Amino acid sequence: QVQLVESGGGSVQAGGSLRLSCAYSGDTISSYLMGWFRQAPGEEREGVAAIFIRSGSTYYADSVKGRFTISHDSAKNTVYLQMNSLKPEDTAMYYCAADPSLWVGEWSRSSKYRSWGQGTQVTVSS
């Protein structure tokens, strides 16, 4: 089972940028679906973006399309989430998730992922 460690969160003003990192270890992820999720207080966990490692295909929530970019660096064993034009409503705890056999059509369903990181906080002020 893969282990995941997120980093890169912080506080930023609206319109700013952050890049989150998800370092993975413990398994070869060539066939994995890797996802980023977020959860604000009192809200359900929401799928933000995902990448199917084998093909490089990416998937995004409508709320972040055109602003966020998910990518993978195999040399660094890391998945990134570049977040631009941040808005106060992007404020949440962000989690990295991984699954070796999830169908891409279910990328945004948090209950389907087998492995999770501990999360990193993103706060966007207006």
Side-chain angles (χ1 to χ4, degrees):
Q1 185 168 337
V2 67
Q3 289 80 50
L4 307 172
V5 179
E6 303 97 331
S7 61
S11 296
V12 64
Q13 289 191 329
S17 298
L18 284 173
R19 188 177 76 162
L20 305 184
S21 299
C22 173
Y24 58 84
S25 62
D27 197 4
T28 301
I29 71 159
S30 59
S31 64
Y32 271 61
L33 185 67
M34 304 289 292
W36 282 100
F37 288 77
R38 66 187 181 187
Q39 188 168 21
E43 302 287 334
E44 292 188 356
R45 193 164 292 191
E46 172 192 21
V48 175
I51 183 167
F52 184 45
I53 298 299
R54 176 169 293 164
S55 65
S57 298
T58 57
Y59 310 88
Y60 296 95
D62 288 343
S63 58
V64 306
K65 278 181 182 177
R67 299 190 298 123
F68 291 11
T69 303
I70 188 171
S71 62
H72 171 237
D73 187 336
S74 58
K76 296 183 177 181
N77 286 4
T78 301
V79 174
Y80 299 100
L81 185 68
Q82 177 67 44
M83 306 187 295
N84 299 327
S85 302
L86 283 161
K87 305 175 181 180
E89 51 263 44
D90 294 317
T91 296
M93 185 71 79
Y94 282 71
Y95 299 90
C96 180
D99 194 89
S101 59
L102 182 58
W103 174 55
V104 295
E106 295 186 306
W107 75 265
S108 63
R109 298 184 64 180
S110 60
S111 62
K112 297 290 186 176
Y113 285 80
R114 192 171 304 182
S115 302
W116 289 86
Q118 83 288 350
T120 185
Q121 177 68 38
V122 171
T123 303
V124 184
S125 58
S126 58

